[in-house]
Amino acid sequence: MKTTNNVQKAITKSLAVIISLVLISITVNAQDFWRTVMENNSFSQIAMAMTDNNEASSASVDATTTDLSAYAAYATVDAEEALEVENWMIAENNFFTTVNVETEIEEALEVENWMTNESLFDGMASYFKVETEEALEVEDWMQNTDYFGVMSVDVEEETEGGLEVEAWMTNSEIWNI
């Protein structure tokens, strides 16, 4: 009995160690996974710029034009060739065309005598009663301000100054342009 408990404890501890090692290896591999996804993505430059913006930017004019030309390569519009209609596309025997679609015309509805005979529909009439309510009246206590906590409220209009352009807003080092 005691040996069985010790074996079960040893197995449980071994499983815990194995599961921990597997989870650690998955976590380590996941760190490289996102880096490879970002490198293969068209947004990789933006993502790298966002993560590396703490480095001092001392780019020259050549580096700026290189960055702009790299961006221009992403901004080019791909043109597709014009589609052509081929003979098989317009041949009717290639498609299921045996269905005939006809417009259905309905006859006009007619009102028959039994439809206007009210004695045939009196069975439920006793359940429908018109309900009337008395008109509401304004009483004195409803207009008495002592019953309600009416307070005067002063309203001030808030005015804002015009917007100003600050130096950091146009700084190309901040915006990596």
Side-chain angles (χ1 to χ4, degrees):
M1 182 76 173
K2 192 173 183 182
T3 306
T4 327
N5 288 340
N6 289 339
V7 170
Q8 288 176 349
K9 287 180 184 178
I11 291 173
T12 305
K13 288 180 183 179
S14 300
L15 284 175
V17 169
I18 292 171
I19 291 173
S20 298
L21 290 174
V22 169
L23 289 175
I24 288 172
S25 67
I26 290 172
T27 305
V28 169
N29 289 335
Q31 291 174 351
D32 292 333
F33 170 75
W34 287 112
R35 182 172 289 123
T36 57
V37 167
M38 294 309 284
E39 288 174 355
N40 295 330
N41 194 339
S42 65
F43 298 109
S44 64
Q45 289 181 348
I46 296 170
M48 292 303 183
M50 292 175 70
T51 57
D52 295 335
N53 64 359
N54 57 356
E55 296 178 6
S57 173
S58 61
S60 65
V61 174
D62 294 335
T64 304
T65 56
T66 305
D67 289 343
L68 290 175
S69 64
Y71 175 73
Y74 288 119
T76 58
V77 177
D78 291 334
E80 294 182 0
E81 296 179 17
L83 297 176
E84 296 178 9
V85 177
E86 298 177 9
N87 289 334
W88 68 268
M89 295 177 181
I90 56 175
E92 289 187 25
N93 58 356
N94 289 336
F95 303 101
F96 185 69
T97 59
T98 59
V99 177
N100 293 330
V101 179
E102 296 178 8
T103 305
E104 185 173 328
I105 300 172
E106 294 183 2
E107 296 178 14
L109 296 177
E110 296 179 12
V111 178
E112 298 178 10
N113 290 335
W114 67 269
M115 294 178 183
T116 57
N117 187 353
E118 291 183 19
S119 64
L120 297 175
F121 300 103
D122 277 347
M124 297 297 289
S126 62
Y127 294 114
F128 300 120
K129 294 183 180 175
V130 177
E131 198 173 303
T132 57
E133 294 182 359
E134 297 177 15
L136 296 176
E137 295 178 11
V138 177
E139 298 180 10
D140 292 334
W141 68 268
M142 294 177 182
Q143 296 177 344
N144 189 348
T145 58
D146 294 335
Y147 288 110
F148 308 105
V150 177
M151 299 169 34
S152 64
V153 177
D154 295 331
V155 177
E156 287 184 26
E157 287 191 32
E158 184 176 329
T159 58
E160 293 184 7
L163 297 177
E164 296 178 7
V165 177
E166 297 178 6
W168 67 270
M169 295 177 181
T170 58
N171 189 348
S172 63
E173 293 178 0
I174 293 175
W175 301 107
N176 290 331
I177 295 176

